[in-house]
């Protein structure tokens, strides 16, 4: 319903997107992030964790660990994510990203998404949040490659200015998952 290069409006602002018609690769120019906020100490399920909050259109908290996959099994991850999502430190709730370095220089990320209320296979704003937090901590430089739970790699590029991600671009693959019919009235210009 849209050309390969198009813009669409979100509650966080306009988004510009480019799709390669010959592959599944897409690139999205995203809104600038808020500044990475001071770390928050979290005591969840008997674990002392440090979260790094940042707003990427929606609130995120990023937690560094040695091994995101070994951090917790699926049920425990959901329990920890739910507790942090509802922690009083985050009055609007938050998405929770647990990250760890990989030997190839990329990062592994697992995400508990508010609204979905469980771990998801990927989160684009989570990749941006993770990347900006890592850059602000001096642990990575743009572009940052992040392996999400689906096994796919997404890449965030940005300029870090006063702990904010500006000129943010998210790149990766998109997979066709649904076919439907959109009434022409729904896309008519008003």
């Amino acid at each position: 319903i849209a050309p390969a290069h198009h813009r669409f409006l979100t509650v966080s602002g306009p988004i510009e997107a480019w799709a390669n018609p010959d592959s599944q690769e897409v690139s999205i120019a995203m809104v600038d992030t808020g500044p990475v906020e001071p770390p928050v100490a979290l005591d969840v399920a008997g674990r002392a964790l440090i979260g790094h909050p940042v707003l990427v259109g929606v609130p995120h908290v990023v937690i560094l660990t040695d091994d995101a996959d070994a951090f917790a099994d699926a049920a425990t991850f959901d329990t920890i994510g739910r507790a942090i999502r509802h922690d009083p430190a985050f009055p609007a709730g938050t998405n929770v990203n647990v990250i760890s370095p990989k030997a190839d220089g990329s990062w592994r990320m697992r995400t508990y998404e508010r609204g979905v209320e469980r771990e998801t296979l990927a989160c684009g704003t989570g990749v941006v949040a993770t990347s900006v937090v890592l850059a602000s901590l001096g642990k990575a430089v743009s572009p940052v490659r992040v392996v999400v739970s689906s096994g796919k790699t997404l890449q965030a590029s940005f300029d870090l200015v006063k702990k904010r991600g500006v000129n943010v671009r998210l790149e990766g693959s998109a997979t066709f998952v649904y076919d439907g019919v959109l009434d022409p009235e729904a896309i008519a210009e008003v």
Side-chain angles (χ1 to χ4, degrees), residues 59 85-94 114:
R85 181 254 198 269
H86 291 290
D87 190 282
F90 311 107
T94 189
R114 69 181 190 150

Side-chain angles (χ1 to χ4, degrees), residues 57-74:
V58 294
H60 282 269
V61 64
V62 178
I63 298 168
L64 282 78
T65 187
D66 292 333
D67 185 341
D69 290 311
F71 178 79
D73 63 32

Side-chain angles (χ1 to χ4, degrees), residues 6-121:
H6 60 279
R7 297 184 96 181
F8 55 95
L9 188 61
T10 71
V11 294
S12 298
I15 303 292
E16 192 168 10
W18 298 263
N20 182 337
D22 300 322
S23 73
Q24 293 180 324
E25 297 301 308
V26 296
S27 178
I28 301 169
M30 300 185 62
V31 297
D32 293 347
T33 74
V36 175
E37 298 173 24
V40 175
L42 301 162
D43 184 12
V44 181
R47 298 177 188 216
L49 304 170
I50 301 296
H52 302 273
V54 64
L55 185 67
V56 185
V58 294
H60 282 269
V61 64
V62 178
I63 298 168
L64 282 78
T65 187
D66 292 333
D67 185 341
D69 290 311
F71 178 79
D73 63 32
T76 304
F77 189 82
D78 284 349
T79 298
I80 292 169
R82 188 174 306 106
I84 294 171
R85 181 254 198 269
H86 291 290
D87 190 282
F90 311 107
T94 189
N95 294 302
V96 180
N97 306 291
V98 174
I99 63 168
S100 61
K102 292 179 56 80
D104 67 359
S106 67
W107 293 80
R108 170 69 172 103
M109 180 185 83
R110 293 176 69 188
T111 299
Y112 177 93
E113 280 196 67
R114 69 181 190 150
V116 177
E117 305 308 330
R118 65 181 322 134
E119 183 174 6
T120 58
L121 294 177

Side-chain angles (χ1 to χ4, degrees), residues 161-174:
V161 178
K162 297 182 181 176
K163 292 193 169 192
R164 294 176 182 265
V166 299
N167 303 315
V168 179
R169 176 88 52 124
L170 179 65
E171 298 176 13
S173 65

